[in-house]
């Protein structure tokens, strides 16, 4: 071999060794940054115990330990109003009951041929704006359950509508301020209940099949008896809903449940308990099944969920009147037991006109609930139970480290099929199933938010932001048309991957949402929003010029887009609410 060829060979050998060494020394790519909440809401001075999304996910209601309720406009990232709902106790639970909308917004207004082009344009713009306002109409009843042994029904729709119609950020309205010229709020109806064992109420509204009547809130005059006041409030609720069932622990025995229909008002089911020796239900042989008639000590009822079987639960659990189905109640107890009860009334009222007072009085003694099944997979108190939107399955979690899923579709007689998942930490204060039935979320005492696959209970992700315990969480409603749009556009979100193996590693932010980073903070102050919306408040008040109309249309369209975000909100001891945008 010549010297020239030997030199060339050595040179290539050195290059190959150098390349191999450099490839071995090349560091691995850094792991993706940990996820951060999209927004942090600060407006409470006490730990937060309950929260609820409503009005197509554009508003959030939160309640704290000192009895204050705050309503947030999520699109503005600002509080809209607050009031001291329970002056002598904390807010245990908040629920929002949607009010069915009139169909007047979908009717086209006739136009005359004598209108000019500008007139047609103005009329068309007003019609579009009216239709968009109707779509964003946030009319609801807000129901609060306090430690002062009261459940209140509130109507603050005028304040909510004002927030929708004014794109600019406005000051927070204190509805408890009794000063001159200030707005105050009084409950439509108040129901005295037992709240001594920290069990949160359960509510199930059933839509009214009659046309929506005009809403007029009547305040109680001085000297009016409590019974008369309840009847006045029930009359207001009856205009919009056929039934509104409320389940709470009995005032005499904390292990028993009373179910009220506040539209009557009456106690529909009294003293529903876990021990039912007259029940004919046959339990399957299982080490976790508790036989009917057992004398075991159940302890207090800790969590309740009302739902309908054989019917489609709509927005936030509200059911259509002609698809009422059978009333069911899932209860978690202090000893770790979970029991399913079912309306055993012979004369079912599903799909029939509302019962008259005379008939209802005759049937009142016949309204009973039977025990369908009872199991025990928890060693500690069951702090939360939830049922999927289509009543196909349920979950339970509690003070121990077990998440349990119950199959409700396979059997409503005997013990259900169960899937369990062992958690790495004890103490799950709240658990919810998302409306699309794909994701389960748990709020832990360790400040972690744990996400699971609803199908397999496989862990998907752990969201870390809070340093102290969490007490409550809530999902926004998932819309099917938005899911289809995401599939077509493949727009990434916080948890954009559908592959469970990479689910936890696919945290990203939605492109273009610079205000949605973890550094964004929404507070109760009146500081300017991005875009200078506060500068346009004066033009919003008139509502007559085309610029104001155009701005409102843009704001309503943007608000509609925001309602399609997949939010999860959590609150706890730190007096703040974190908002996350997840897949």
């Amino acid at each position: 071999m010549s010297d020239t060829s030997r030199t060339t060979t050595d040179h290539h050998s050195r290059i190959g060794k150098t390349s191999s060494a450099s490839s071995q020394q090349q560091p691995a790519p850094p792991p993706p940054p940990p996820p951060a909440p999209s927004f942090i809401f600060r407006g409470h001075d006490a730990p937060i115990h309950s929260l609820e999304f409503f009005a197509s996910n554009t508003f959030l209601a939160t309640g704290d330990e000192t009895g204050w309720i705050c309503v947030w406009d999520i699109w503005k990232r600002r509080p809209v109003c607050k009031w001291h709902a329970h002056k002598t106790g904390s807010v245990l639970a908040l629920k929002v009951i949607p009010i069915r909308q009139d169909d007047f917004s979908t009717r086209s207004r006739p136009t005359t041929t004598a209108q000019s082009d500008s007139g047609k344009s103005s009329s068309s713009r007003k019609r579009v704006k009216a239709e968009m306002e109707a779509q964003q109409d946030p009319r609801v009843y807000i129901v609060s359950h306090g430690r002062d042994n009261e459940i209140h029904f509130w109507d603050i729709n005028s304040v909510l509508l004002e927030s929708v119609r004014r794109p600019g950020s406005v000051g927070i309205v204190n509805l408890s301020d009794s000063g001159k010229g200030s707005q105050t709020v009084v409950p439509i109806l108040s129901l005295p209940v037992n709240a001594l064992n920290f069990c949160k109420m359960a509510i199930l509204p059933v839509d009214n099949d009659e046309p929506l009547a005009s809403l007029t809130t009547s305040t109680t005059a001085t000297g009016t008896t409590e019974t008369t006041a309840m009847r006045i409030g029930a009359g207001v609720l009856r205009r919009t809903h056929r039934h509104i069932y409320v389940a709470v622990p009995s005032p005499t025995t904390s292990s028993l449940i009373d179910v009220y229909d506040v539209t009557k008002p009456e106690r529909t089911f009294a003293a529903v308990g876990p021990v039912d020796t007259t029940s004919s239900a046959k339990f399957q042989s299982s080490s976790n099944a508790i036989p009917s008639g057992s004398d075991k000590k159940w302890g207090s009822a800790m969590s309740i969920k009302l739902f309908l079987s054989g019917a489609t639960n709509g927005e936030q659990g509200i059911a259509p009147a002609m698809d009422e189905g059978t009333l069911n109640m899932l209860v978690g107890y202090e000893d770790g037991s979970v029991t399913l009860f079912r309306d055993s009334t012979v004369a079912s009222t599903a799909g029939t006109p509302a019962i008259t007072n005379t008939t209802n009085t005759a049937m009142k003694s016949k309204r009973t609930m039977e025990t369908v099944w009872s199991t025990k997979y928890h060693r500690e108190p069951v702090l939360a139970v939830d049922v999927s939107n289509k009543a196909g399955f349920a979950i339970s979690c509690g003070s121990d480290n077990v998440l349990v899923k119950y199959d409700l579709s396979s059997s409503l007689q005997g013990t259900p099929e169960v899937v369990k998942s062992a958690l790495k930490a004890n103490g799950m204060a709240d658990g919810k199933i998302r409306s699309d039935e794909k994701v389960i979320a748990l709020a832990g005492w360790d400040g972690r938010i744990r996400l699971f696959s609803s199908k397999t209970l496989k862990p998907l992700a752990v969201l870390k932001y809070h340093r102290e315990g969490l007490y409550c969480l809530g999902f926004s409603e998932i819309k099917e048309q938005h899911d289809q749009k995401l599939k077509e556009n493949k727009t990434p979100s916080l948890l954009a991957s559908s592959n469970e193996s990479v689910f936890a590693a696919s945290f990203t932010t939605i492109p273009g949402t610079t205000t949605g980073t973890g550094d964004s903070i929404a507070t109760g102050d009146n500081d300017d929003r991005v875009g200078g919306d506060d500068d346009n408040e004066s033009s919003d008040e008139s509502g007559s010029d085309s610029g104001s109309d155009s701005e409102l249309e843009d704001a309503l369209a943007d608000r509609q887009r925001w309602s399609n975000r997949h939010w999860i909100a959590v609150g706890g001891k730190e007096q703040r609410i974190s908002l996350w945008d997840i897949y």
Side-chain angles (χ1 to χ4, degrees):
M1 180 182 294
S2 64
D3 295 339
T4 304
S5 60
R6 186 182 299 108
T7 303
T8 304
T9 303
D10 295 343
H11 176 70
H12 286 296
S13 177
R14 286 195 299 270
I15 292 177
K17 292 180 180 180
T18 305
S19 302
S20 176
S22 61
S23 62
Q24 293 177 359
Q25 295 176 359
Q26 184 177 2
S38 298
F39 304 105
I40 303 299
F41 287 172
R42 296 183 176 95
H44 287 276
D45 297 326
I48 298 157
H49 285 261
S50 185
L51 53 82
E52 187 90 359
F53 286 96
F54 65 98
S56 299
N57 310 327
T58 58
F59 286 91
L60 177 69
T62 57
D64 66 26
E65 195 174 78
T66 57
W68 282 88
I69 296 176
C70 185
V71 175
W72 305 79
D73 189 325
I74 297 179
W75 180 74
K76 296 179 179 179
R77 283 87 77 189
R78 293 290 183 270
V80 176
C81 61
K82 65 177 181 179
W83 69 98
H84 205 181
H86 300 272
K87 294 181 172 57
T88 60
S90 63
V91 179
L92 279 178
L94 276 178
K95 298 295 180 182
V96 178
I97 302 177
I99 299 176
R100 189 183 64 178
Q101 307 302 316
D102 293 325
D103 61 350
F104 70 89
S105 60
T106 60
R107 301 174 185 172
S108 59
R109 299 180 182 178
T111 57
T112 61
T113 56
Q115 287 180 321
S116 63
D117 292 341
S118 60
K120 291 180 181 179
S121 177
S122 177
S123 177
S124 176
R125 186 185 302 113
K126 290 180 179 179
R127 182 170 63 253
V128 171
K129 184 176 71 171
E131 292 177 355
M132 296 179 70
E133 285 183 355
Q135 293 175 0
Q136 297 293 332
D137 193 343
R139 287 186 298 172
V140 295
Y141 299 125
I142 295 179
V143 189
S144 62
H145 181 198
R147 284 277 290 164
D148 57 355
N149 300 318
E150 293 280 351
I151 292 178
H152 296 312
F153 287 74
W154 307 92
D155 179 3
I156 61 167
N157 292 307
S158 60
V159 179
L160 300 179
L161 287 170
E162 183 68 16
S163 180
V164 170
R165 291 169 180 169
R166 298 188 63 181
S169 179
V170 296
I172 183 172
V173 179
N174 188 346
L175 298 177
S176 295
D177 188 1
S178 58
K180 184 177 180 181
S182 60
Q183 293 178 315
T184 57
V185 62
V186 294
I188 300 175
L189 181 144
S190 295
L191 180 68
V193 295
N194 173 25
L196 298 179
N197 61 339
F198 297 94
C199 180
K200 299 180 179 181
M201 66 177 177
I203 283 188
L204 178 65
V206 178
D207 205 355
N208 199 338
D209 52 1
E210 299 177 356
L212 180 63
S214 59
L215 297 179
T216 55
T217 304
S218 302
T219 57
T220 305
T222 304
T224 305
T225 63
E226 182 176 271
T227 303
T228 304
M230 290 183 64
R231 289 176 179 173
I232 294 174
V236 175
L237 300 176
R238 195 161 49 243
R239 296 176 183 177
T240 57
H241 292 83
R242 181 179 174 184
H243 304 292
I244 299 179
Y245 295 110
V246 179
V248 290
S250 172
T252 57
T253 306
S254 59
S255 62
L256 304 179
I257 308 295
D258 290 340
V259 181
Y260 298 86
D261 185 353
V262 295
T263 61
K264 299 293 186 275
E266 67 177 17
R267 186 170 58 177
T268 307
F269 301 94
V272 179
V275 179
D276 183 10
T277 57
T278 63
S279 174
S280 59
K282 302 299 181 182
F283 293 89
Q284 299 175 356
S285 59
S286 172
S287 59
N288 295 95
I290 301 173
S292 178
S294 172
D295 59 353
K296 72 181 295 295
K297 300 299 182 182
W298 302 80
S300 301
M302 302 297 294
S303 53
I304 310 172
K305 179 68 176 183
L306 291 172
F307 66 99
L308 299 174
S309 60
T312 302
N313 295 303
E315 180 183 0
Q316 295 186 359
I318 189 170
M322 300 307 294
D323 190 22
E324 195 169 324
T326 304
L327 183 63
N328 293 262
M329 181 171 64
L330 190 66
V331 184
Y333 290 93
E334 189 176 3
D335 74 325
S337 303
V338 175
T339 304
L340 177 64
F341 301 96
R342 178 179 57 197
D343 184 2
S344 60
T345 304
V346 177
S348 176
T349 61
T352 60
I355 302 174
T356 61
N357 291 336
T358 304
T359 306
N360 196 44
T361 302
M363 293 181 58
K364 189 179 299 185
S365 60
K366 300 180 181 179
R367 300 299 299 270
T368 58
M369 279 193 168
E370 64 179 359
T371 303
V372 180
W373 51 258
S374 186
T375 61
K376 183 178 179 181
Y377 292 93
H378 294 276
R379 302 182 305 274
E380 301 291 339
V382 179
L383 301 181
V385 293
D386 197 18
V387 177
S388 64
N389 194 40
K390 298 179 181 179
F393 65 93
I395 63 167
S396 65
C397 62
S399 301
D400 55 8
N401 64 334
V402 179
L403 170 63
V404 184
K405 175 186 174 182
Y406 308 87
D407 186 2
L408 303 180
S409 60
S410 60
S411 175
L412 285 178
Q413 291 288 348
T415 54
E417 297 181 5
V418 169
V419 178
K420 297 187 297 181
S421 177
L423 310 177
K424 294 183 178 180
N426 292 343
M428 299 296 119
D430 200 3
K432 294 290 175 62
I433 305 171
R434 203 167 67 175
S435 61
D436 62 354
E437 302 185 352
K438 294 181 179 179
V439 181
I440 297 172
L442 303 181
W445 290 344
D446 59 354
R448 304 292 188 262
I449 310 163
R450 293 171 171 83
L451 303 180
F452 299 85
S453 166
S454 297
K455 185 177 181 179
T456 62
L457 293 191
K458 180 180 179 180
L460 302 179
V462 178
L463 307 181
K464 303 177 182 179
Y465 167 76
H466 298 270
R467 297 182 179 180
E468 298 189 72
L470 300 178
Y471 298 152
C472 57
L473 66 83
F475 277 117
S476 62
E477 183 191 12
I478 304 301
K479 301 179 181 179
E480 294 181 0
Q481 60 270 26
H482 181 57
D483 291 340
Q484 184 64 29
K485 186 181 298 184
L486 283 180
K487 291 179 182 179
E488 294 174 357
N489 298 335
K490 298 182 180 179
T491 303
S493 61
L494 183 64
L495 297 178
S497 175
S498 59
N499 187 348
E500 293 180 357
S501 62
V502 295
F503 199 108
S506 60
F507 290 89
T508 58
T509 55
I510 294 180
T513 56
T514 56
T515 60
T517 63
D519 295 332
S520 300
I521 297 176
T523 66
D525 302 329
N526 290 328
D527 53 318
D528 294 341
R529 287 186 56 221
V530 175
D533 291 359
D534 289 346
D535 298 335
N536 299 322
E537 289 185 13
S538 58
S539 62
D540 292 339
E541 294 176 356
S542 61
S544 58
D545 57 297
S546 59
S548 178
D549 290 343
S550 177
E551 182 184 357
L552 179 57
E553 292 173 14
D554 293 342
L556 291 175
D558 191 37
R559 183 184 287 271
Q560 180 66 30
R561 288 191 294 270
W562 268 68
S563 68
N564 294 328
R565 304 280 285 272
H566 294 190
W567 296 116
I568 180 173
V570 295
K573 191 174 181 180
E574 291 180 337
Q575 308 175 13
R576 64 185 70 176
I577 303 105
S578 62
L579 223 65
W580 308 72
D581 188 9
I582 68 172
Y583 169 74

